[in-house]
Amino acid sequence: QLVANEVKRMRAEEGNKQKILRHIKELAEKLYKNENPYPAVTMHTVQKPTEGCHLRLHQKPFPRLDEGTVQWIIDQATAKLQTAPPAVKAEKKCMVPSGPPIAAIMERNGNALANSARRLEVVRNCISYVFENKMLEAKKLFPAVLRAMKGRAARHCLTQELNLHVQQNRAVLDHQQFDFIIRMMNCCLQDCTAMDEHGIAAALLPLVTAFCRKLSPGITQFAYSCVQEHV
């Protein structure tokens, strides 16, 4: 519904924090009411009589209940229940128009998309420099790569690029290359969410058992030994 109906409103609000906050509050209330449709029922608590109260003098006798009055109260309550709406609201189904195409919404995010493409390019270039042993160039790009790992697209790009290098039989690394790749993998896994578990993390699994370095003749260290602490 937001995409369909409120794009103009959102555009009008851009730059006005008060309007944006008011809009968010309205949305929050709608979502809250959707999750909690029934107000909490207040329970009337009847206090227990204190100990030894029956021994008191001047105790008023319990009044005699009038059968007719009691019956009248019961009838009133029954009548109310019969006219009351059903406890569970009938779910109203409605057709939501498709609204403007996503491209129209994304127009103003052109810079963000360009930035995203640049980030992926930085990740690709850095990995290429590492495998070409151009460590100075890789070092310059490295902080930007670690920042880019906050985005899902960059994490996905990392797994794809590393996979290409494994297929080219470039999985045995020297110490410096190994260090760079491990730091990228650790940063990638650190920023993974539960949603990435079967995507990014699963894609990294075969890679961490492929990339390795020779510590000494006959002794090989694989990448998984450095990244296995991640959830």
Side-chain angles (χ1 to χ4, degrees), residues 196-213:
D196 297 323
E197 190 178 335
H198 304 293
I200 312 291
L204 274 177
L205 270 178
L207 299 174
V208 296
T209 56
F211 285 108
C212 60
R213 65 173 166 181

PDB file of all heavy atoms in Angstrom, residues 196-213:
ATOM      1  N   ASP A 196      21.416 -14.546   5.573  1.00  0.00           N
ATOM      2  CA  ASP A 196      22.534 -14.931   4.697  1.00  0.00           C
ATOM      3  C   ASP A 196      23.025 -16.349   4.936  1.00  0.00           C
ATOM      4  O   ASP A 196      23.900 -16.831   4.223  1.00  0.00           O
ATOM      5  CB  ASP A 196      23.716 -13.966   4.905  1.00  0.00           C
ATOM      6  CG  ASP A 196      23.369 -12.537   4.524  1.00  0.00           C
ATOM      7  OD1 ASP A 196      22.622 -12.380   3.544  1.00  0.00           O
ATOM      8  OD2 ASP A 196      23.826 -11.613   5.187  1.00  0.00           O
ATOM      9  N   GLU A 197      22.484 -16.995   5.974  1.00  0.00           N
ATOM     10  CA  GLU A 197      23.032 -18.291   6.391  1.00  0.00           C
ATOM     11  C   GLU A 197      23.047 -19.308   5.254  1.00  0.00           C
ATOM     12  O   GLU A 197      24.007 -20.041   5.074  1.00  0.00           O
ATOM     13  CB  GLU A 197      22.218 -18.830   7.569  1.00  0.00           C
ATOM     14  CG  GLU A 197      22.858 -20.047   8.208  1.00  0.00           C
ATOM     15  CD  GLU A 197      22.067 -20.537   9.420  1.00  0.00           C
ATOM     16  OE1 GLU A 197      21.347 -19.749  10.041  1.00  0.00           O
ATOM     17  OE2 GLU A 197      22.173 -21.728   9.696  1.00  0.00           O
ATOM     18  N   HIS A 198      21.951 -19.353   4.470  1.00  0.00           N
ATOM     19  CA  HIS A 198      21.869 -20.341   3.397  1.00  0.00           C
ATOM     20  C   HIS A 198      22.305 -19.752   2.058  1.00  0.00           C
ATOM     21  O   HIS A 198      22.196 -20.402   1.031  1.00  0.00           O
ATOM     22  CB  HIS A 198      20.442 -20.894   3.298  1.00  0.00           C
ATOM     23  CG  HIS A 198      19.979 -21.479   4.589  1.00  0.00           C
ATOM     24  ND1 HIS A 198      20.542 -22.608   5.130  1.00  0.00           N
ATOM     25  CD2 HIS A 198      19.041 -21.057   5.481  1.00  0.00           C
ATOM     26  CE1 HIS A 198      19.956 -22.872   6.286  1.00  0.00           C
ATOM     27  NE2 HIS A 198      19.052 -21.944   6.532  1.00  0.00           N
ATOM     28  N   GLY A 199      22.775 -18.491   2.089  1.00  0.00           N
ATOM     29  CA  GLY A 199      23.234 -17.860   0.853  1.00  0.00           C
ATOM     30  C   GLY A 199      24.728 -17.620   0.907  1.00  0.00           C
ATOM     31  O   GLY A 199      25.535 -18.418   0.440  1.00  0.00           O
ATOM     32  N   ILE A 200      25.104 -16.509   1.557  1.00  0.00           N
ATOM     33  CA  ILE A 200      26.515 -16.099   1.608  1.00  0.00           C
ATOM     34  C   ILE A 200      27.355 -17.131   2.369  1.00  0.00           C
ATOM     35  O   ILE A 200      28.366 -17.615   1.871  1.00  0.00           O
ATOM     36  CB  ILE A 200      26.656 -14.716   2.287  1.00  0.00           C
ATOM     37  CG1 ILE A 200      25.672 -13.699   1.731  1.00  0.00           C
ATOM     38  CG2 ILE A 200      28.088 -14.228   2.205  1.00  0.00           C
ATOM     39  CD1 ILE A 200      25.872 -13.233   0.335  1.00  0.00           C
ATOM     40  N   ALA A 201      26.920 -17.457   3.602  1.00  0.00           N
ATOM     41  CA  ALA A 201      27.714 -18.377   4.434  1.00  0.00           C
ATOM     42  C   ALA A 201      27.837 -19.749   3.766  1.00  0.00           C
ATOM     43  O   ALA A 201      28.899 -20.372   3.775  1.00  0.00           O
ATOM     44  CB  ALA A 201      27.079 -18.509   5.816  1.00  0.00           C
ATOM     45  N   ALA A 202      26.747 -20.201   3.151  1.00  0.00           N
ATOM     46  CA  ALA A 202      26.779 -21.505   2.465  1.00  0.00           C
ATOM     47  C   ALA A 202      27.716 -21.452   1.259  1.00  0.00           C
ATOM     48  O   ALA A 202      28.423 -22.422   0.959  1.00  0.00           O
ATOM     49  CB  ALA A 202      25.372 -21.887   2.024  1.00  0.00           C
ATOM     50  N   ALA A 203      27.740 -20.299   0.571  1.00  0.00           N
ATOM     51  CA  ALA A 203      28.626 -20.161  -0.596  1.00  0.00           C
ATOM     52  C   ALA A 203      30.094 -20.121  -0.166  1.00  0.00           C
ATOM     53  O   ALA A 203      30.992 -20.526  -0.919  1.00  0.00           O
ATOM     54  CB  ALA A 203      28.271 -18.896  -1.366  1.00  0.00           C
ATOM     55  N   LEU A 204      30.338 -19.638   1.051  1.00  0.00           N
ATOM     56  CA  LEU A 204      31.729 -19.570   1.536  1.00  0.00           C
ATOM     57  C   LEU A 204      32.253 -20.933   1.981  1.00  0.00           C
ATOM     58  O   LEU A 204      33.455 -21.161   1.985  1.00  0.00           O
ATOM     59  CB  LEU A 204      31.837 -18.591   2.704  1.00  0.00           C
ATOM     60  CG  LEU A 204      32.057 -17.110   2.355  1.00  0.00           C
ATOM     61  CD1 LEU A 204      32.067 -16.277   3.614  1.00  0.00           C
ATOM     62  CD2 LEU A 204      33.352 -16.894   1.597  1.00  0.00           C
ATOM     63  N   LEU A 205      31.338 -21.831   2.364  1.00  0.00           N
ATOM     64  CA  LEU A 205      31.773 -23.131   2.907  1.00  0.00           C
ATOM     65  C   LEU A 205      32.757 -23.879   1.995  1.00  0.00           C
ATOM     66  O   LEU A 205      33.820 -24.282   2.451  1.00  0.00           O
ATOM     67  CB  LEU A 205      30.565 -24.017   3.215  1.00  0.00           C
ATOM     68  CG  LEU A 205      29.996 -23.884   4.625  1.00  0.00           C
ATOM     69  CD1 LEU A 205      28.774 -24.781   4.781  1.00  0.00           C
ATOM     70  CD2 LEU A 205      31.028 -24.264   5.674  1.00  0.00           C
ATOM     71  N   PRO A 206      32.428 -24.095   0.703  1.00  0.00           N
ATOM     72  CA  PRO A 206      33.403 -24.809  -0.132  1.00  0.00           C
ATOM     73  C   PRO A 206      34.691 -24.009  -0.342  1.00  0.00           C
ATOM     74  O   PRO A 206      35.760 -24.591  -0.539  1.00  0.00           O
ATOM     75  CB  PRO A 206      32.665 -25.010  -1.461  1.00  0.00           C
ATOM     76  CG  PRO A 206      31.536 -24.055  -1.443  1.00  0.00           C
ATOM     77  CD  PRO A 206      31.188 -23.797  -0.015  1.00  0.00           C
ATOM     78  N   LEU A 207      34.595 -22.675  -0.263  1.00  0.00           N
ATOM     79  CA  LEU A 207      35.784 -21.843  -0.495  1.00  0.00           C
ATOM     80  C   LEU A 207      36.773 -21.948   0.664  1.00  0.00           C
ATOM     81  O   LEU A 207      37.981 -21.984   0.454  1.00  0.00           O
ATOM     82  CB  LEU A 207      35.378 -20.374  -0.691  1.00  0.00           C
ATOM     83  CG  LEU A 207      34.451 -20.096  -1.885  1.00  0.00           C
ATOM     84  CD1 LEU A 207      34.003 -18.655  -1.891  1.00  0.00           C
ATOM     85  CD2 LEU A 207      35.139 -20.444  -3.199  1.00  0.00           C
ATOM     86  N   VAL A 208      36.237 -21.995   1.899  1.00  0.00           N
ATOM     87  CA  VAL A 208      37.150 -22.045   3.054  1.00  0.00           C
ATOM     88  C   VAL A 208      37.841 -23.400   3.172  1.00  0.00           C
ATOM     89  O   VAL A 208      38.832 -23.539   3.889  1.00  0.00           O
ATOM     90  CB  VAL A 208      36.437 -21.694   4.385  1.00  0.00           C
ATOM     91  CG1 VAL A 208      35.938 -20.268   4.366  1.00  0.00           C
ATOM     92  CG2 VAL A 208      35.324 -22.661   4.721  1.00  0.00           C
ATOM     93  N   THR A 209      37.319 -24.404   2.467  1.00  0.00           N
ATOM     94  CA  THR A 209      38.011 -25.709   2.474  1.00  0.00           C
ATOM     95  C   THR A 209      38.921 -25.842   1.252  1.00  0.00           C
ATOM     96  O   THR A 209      39.574 -26.862   1.082  1.00  0.00           O
ATOM     97  CB  THR A 209      36.983 -26.872   2.461  1.00  0.00           C
ATOM     98  OG1 THR A 209      36.139 -26.711   1.323  1.00  0.00           O
ATOM     99  CG2 THR A 209      36.149 -26.889   3.714  1.00  0.00           C
ATOM    100  N   ALA A 210      38.927 -24.789   0.386  1.00  0.00           N
ATOM    101  CA  ALA A 210      39.774 -24.833  -0.815  1.00  0.00           C
ATOM    102  C   ALA A 210      41.025 -23.961  -0.642  1.00  0.00           C
ATOM    103  O   ALA A 210      42.144 -24.401  -0.899  1.00  0.00           O
ATOM    104  CB  ALA A 210      38.980 -24.358  -2.028  1.00  0.00           C
ATOM    105  N   PHE A 211      40.815 -22.717  -0.194  1.00  0.00           N
ATOM    106  CA  PHE A 211      41.968 -21.802  -0.064  1.00  0.00           C
ATOM    107  C   PHE A 211      42.880 -22.257   1.070  1.00  0.00           C
ATOM    108  O   PHE A 211      42.416 -22.593   2.154  1.00  0.00           O
ATOM    109  CB  PHE A 211      41.488 -20.373   0.193  1.00  0.00           C
ATOM    110  CG  PHE A 211      40.937 -19.715  -1.033  1.00  0.00           C
ATOM    111  CD1 PHE A 211      39.573 -19.491  -1.162  1.00  0.00           C
ATOM    112  CD2 PHE A 211      41.771 -19.349  -2.075  1.00  0.00           C
ATOM    113  CE1 PHE A 211      39.064 -18.901  -2.303  1.00  0.00           C
ATOM    114  CE2 PHE A 211      41.263 -18.758  -3.224  1.00  0.00           C
ATOM    115  CZ  PHE A 211      39.913 -18.536  -3.345  1.00  0.00           C
ATOM    116  N   CYS A 212      44.175 -22.260   0.802  1.00  0.00           N
ATOM    117  CA  CYS A 212      45.126 -22.735   1.809  1.00  0.00           C
ATOM    118  C   CYS A 212      46.491 -22.096   1.580  1.00  0.00           C
ATOM    119  O   CYS A 212      46.723 -21.412   0.583  1.00  0.00           O
ATOM    120  CB  CYS A 212      45.245 -24.256   1.724  1.00  0.00           C
ATOM    121  SG  CYS A 212      45.832 -24.812   0.113  1.00  0.00           S
ATOM    122  N   ARG A 213      47.395 -22.322   2.536  1.00  0.00           N
ATOM    123  CA  ARG A 213      48.792 -21.895   2.368  1.00  0.00           C
ATOM    124  C   ARG A 213      49.696 -22.980   2.933  1.00  0.00           C
ATOM    125  O   ARG A 213      49.305 -23.734   3.841  1.00  0.00           O
ATOM    126  CB  ARG A 213      49.036 -20.565   3.077  1.00  0.00           C
ATOM    127  CG  ARG A 213      48.886 -20.630   4.593  1.00  0.00           C
ATOM    128  CD  ARG A 213      49.303 -19.333   5.227  1.00  0.00           C
ATOM    129  NE  ARG A 213      48.872 -19.256   6.619  1.00  0.00           N
ATOM    130  CZ  ARG A 213      49.104 -18.211   7.395  1.00  0.00           C
ATOM    131  NH1 ARG A 213      49.737 -17.156   6.924  1.00  0.00           N
ATOM    132  NH2 ARG A 213      48.685 -18.200   8.645  1.00  0.00           N
TER     133      ARG A 213
END
